[in-house]
Coordinates of all heavy atoms in Angstrom, one line a residue:
P672 N -7.0 2.8 -1.1 CA -7.0 2.0 0.2 C -6.5 2.8 1.3 O -5.5 3.6 1.2 CB -6.1 0.8 -0.2 CG -5.2 1.3 -1.2 CD -5.9 2.3 -2.0
L673 N -7.1 2.5 2.5 CA -6.6 3.1 3.7 C -5.3 2.4 4.2 O -5.3 1.2 4.2 CB -7.7 3.0 4.8 CG -7.4 3.6 6.2 CD1 -7.4 5.1 6.1 CD2 -8.5 3.2 7.1
S674 N -4.3 3.2 4.5 CA -3.0 2.6 4.8 C -3.1 1.5 5.9 O -2.6 0.4 5.8 CB -2.0 3.6 5.2 OG -1.8 4.5 4.1
I675 N -3.7 1.9 7.0 CA -3.9 1.0 8.2 C -4.8 -0.1 7.8 O -4.7 -1.3 8.3 CB -4.4 1.8 9.4 CG1 -3.4 2.9 9.8 CG2 -4.7 0.8 10.5 CD1 -3.9 3.7 11.0
G676 N -5.8 0.2 6.9 CA -6.7 -0.8 6.5 C -6.1 -2.0 5.7 O -6.8 -3.0 5.5
Q677 N -4.9 -1.8 5.2 CA -4.2 -2.9 4.5 C -3.5 -3.9 5.4 O -2.9 -4.8 4.9 CB -3.3 -2.3 3.5 CG -3.9 -1.4 2.4 CD -2.9 -0.8 1.5 OE1 -2.4 -1.4 0.6 NE2 -2.7 0.5 1.6
L678 N -3.5 -3.6 6.7 CA -2.7 -4.4 7.6 C -3.4 -5.7 8.0 O -2.8 -6.7 8.4 CB -2.3 -3.6 8.8 CG -1.4 -2.4 8.6 CD1 -1.2 -1.6 9.9 CD2 -0.1 -2.7 7.9
G679 N -4.8 -5.7 7.9 CA -5.6 -6.8 8.3 C -5.9 -7.7 7.2 O -5.3 -7.7 6.1
T680 N -6.8 -8.6 7.4 CA -7.2 -9.6 6.4 C -8.2 -8.9 5.4 O -8.3 -9.4 4.3 CB -8.0 -10.8 7.1 OG1 -9.1 -10.3 7.8 CG2 -7.0 -11.5 8.0
R681 N -8.8 -7.8 5.7 CA -9.7 -7.1 4.8 C -9.2 -5.7 4.6 O -8.8 -5.1 5.5 CB -11.1 -7.1 5.3 CG -11.8 -8.4 5.5 CD -13.2 -8.3 5.9 NE -14.0 -7.5 5.0 CZ -15.3 -7.2 5.2 NH1 -15.9 -7.5 6.4 NH2 -15.9 -6.5 4.3
V682 N -9.2 -5.3 3.3 CA -8.7 -4.0 2.9 C -9.8 -3.0 3.1 O -11.0 -3.2 2.6 CB -8.1 -4.0 1.5 CG1 -7.7 -2.6 1.1 CG2 -7.0 -5.0 1.4
T683 N -9.6 -1.8 3.7 CA -10.5 -0.8 3.9 C -10.2 0.3 2.9 O -9.0 0.7 2.7 CB -10.5 -0.2 5.3 OG1 -10.7 -1.2 6.2 CG2 -11.6 0.9 5.5
Y684 N -11.2 0.9 2.2 CA -11.0 1.9 1.2 C -11.7 3.2 1.5 O -12.7 3.2 2.3 CB -11.6 1.4 -0.2 CG -10.9 0.2 -0.7 CD1 -11.3 -1.1 -0.4 CD2 -9.8 0.3 -1.6 CE1 -10.7 -2.2 -0.9 CE2 -9.1 -0.8 -2.1 CZ -9.6 -2.0 -1.8 OH -9.0 -3.1 -2.3
F685 N -11.1 4.3 1.0 CA -11.8 5.6 1.0 C -12.8 5.6 -0.1 O -12.9 4.6 -0.9 CB -10.8 6.7 0.8 CG -9.8 6.9 1.9 CD1 -8.5 6.6 1.7 CD2 -10.2 7.3 3.1 CE1 -7.5 6.7 2.7 CE2 -9.3 7.5 4.1 CZ -7.9 7.2 3.9
S686 N -13.6 6.7 -0.3 CA -14.5 6.8 -1.4 C -13.6 7.2 -2.6 O -12.5 7.6 -2.5 CB -15.6 7.8 -1.1 OG -15.1 9.2 -1.4
S687 N -14.3 7.2 -3.8 CA -13.6 7.5 -5.0 C -13.7 9.0 -5.4 O -13.3 9.4 -6.5 CB -14.1 6.7 -6.2 OG -15.5 6.9 -6.3
A688 N -14.1 9.9 -4.4 CA -14.3 11.3 -4.7 C -13.0 12.0 -5.3 O -13.1 12.8 -6.2 CB -14.7 12.0 -3.4
I689 N -11.8 11.6 -4.7 CA -10.6 12.2 -5.1 C -10.3 11.9 -6.6 O -9.7 12.7 -7.3 CB -9.4 11.8 -4.2 CG1 -8.2 12.6 -4.5 CG2 -9.1 10.3 -4.4 CD1 -8.3 14.1 -4.1
Y690 N -10.7 10.7 -7.1 CA -10.5 10.3 -8.4 C -11.3 11.2 -9.4 O -10.8 11.6 -10.5 CB -11.0 8.8 -8.7 CG -10.1 7.8 -8.0 CD1 -10.6 6.5 -7.7 CD2 -8.8 8.1 -7.6 CE1 -9.9 5.6 -7.1 CE2 -8.1 7.1 -6.9 CZ -8.6 5.8 -6.7 OH -7.9 4.9 -6.0
Y691 N -12.5 11.6 -9.0 CA -13.3 12.4 -9.9 C -12.9 13.8 -9.9 O -13.0 14.5 -10.9 CB -14.8 12.2 -9.5 CG -15.3 10.8 -9.8 CD1 -15.3 9.9 -8.8 CD2 -15.6 10.4 -11.1 CE1 -15.8 8.6 -9.0 CE2 -16.0 9.1 -11.4 CZ -16.1 8.2 -10.3 OH -16.5 6.9 -10.6
I692 N -12.3 14.3 -8.8 CA -11.7 15.6 -8.8 C -10.5 15.6 -9.7 O -10.3 16.5 -10.5 CB -11.2 16.0 -7.3 CG1 -12.4 16.3 -6.4 CG2 -10.3 17.2 -7.4 CD1 -13.2 17.6 -6.8
G693 N -9.7 14.5 -9.7 CA -8.6 14.4 -10.5 C -9.0 14.3 -12.0 O -8.4 14.9 -12.9
A694 N -10.1 13.6 -12.3 CA -10.5 13.5 -13.7 C -11.0 14.8 -14.2 O -10.7 15.2 -15.4 CB -11.7 12.5 -13.8
L695 N -11.7 15.6 -13.4 CA -12.1 17.0 -13.8 C -10.9 17.8 -14.0 O -10.8 18.6 -15.0 CB -13.0 17.6 -12.7 CG -13.4 19.0 -12.9 CD1 -14.3 19.1 -14.2 CD2 -14.2 19.5 -11.7
G696 N -9.9 17.8 -13.1 CA -8.7 18.5 -13.3 C -7.9 18.2 -14.6 O -7.4 19.0 -15.3
L697 N -7.8 16.9 -14.9 CA -7.2 16.4 -16.1 C -7.9 16.9 -17.3 O -7.3 17.3 -18.3 CB -7.1 14.9 -16.1 CG -6.1 14.3 -15.1 CD1 -6.3 12.8 -15.1 CD2 -4.7 14.6 -15.5
A698 N -9.3 16.8 -17.3 CA -10.1 17.3 -18.4 C -9.9 18.8 -18.7 O -9.8 19.2 -19.9 CB -11.5 16.9 -18.2
L699 N -9.9 19.5 -17.7 CA -9.8 21.0 -17.8 C -8.4 21.5 -18.2 O -8.3 22.6 -18.8 CB -10.2 21.7 -16.5 CG -11.7 21.5 -16.1 CD1 -12.0 22.2 -14.7 CD2 -12.6 22.1 -17.2
S700 N -7.4 20.7 -17.9 CA -6.1 21.1 -18.2 C -5.4 20.4 -19.4 O -4.2 20.5 -19.6 CB -5.2 20.8 -17.0 OG -5.1 19.4 -16.7

């Protein structure tokens, strides 16, 4: 979630790209 995006009534999110980079790093290590 975007930090500023959590201040309103609707939450704004980033894409999940960082999660898949993390999953690849976890798998390789």
Side-chain angles (χ1 to χ4, degrees):
L673 184 66
S674 299
I675 299 177
Q677 299 179 72
L678 300 178
T680 56
R681 295 183 62 184
V682 179
T683 305
Y684 295 91
F685 295 111
S686 85
S687 56
I689 193 66
Y690 293 157
Y691 294 97
I692 288 290
L695 178 61
L697 290 170
L699 293 175
S700 62

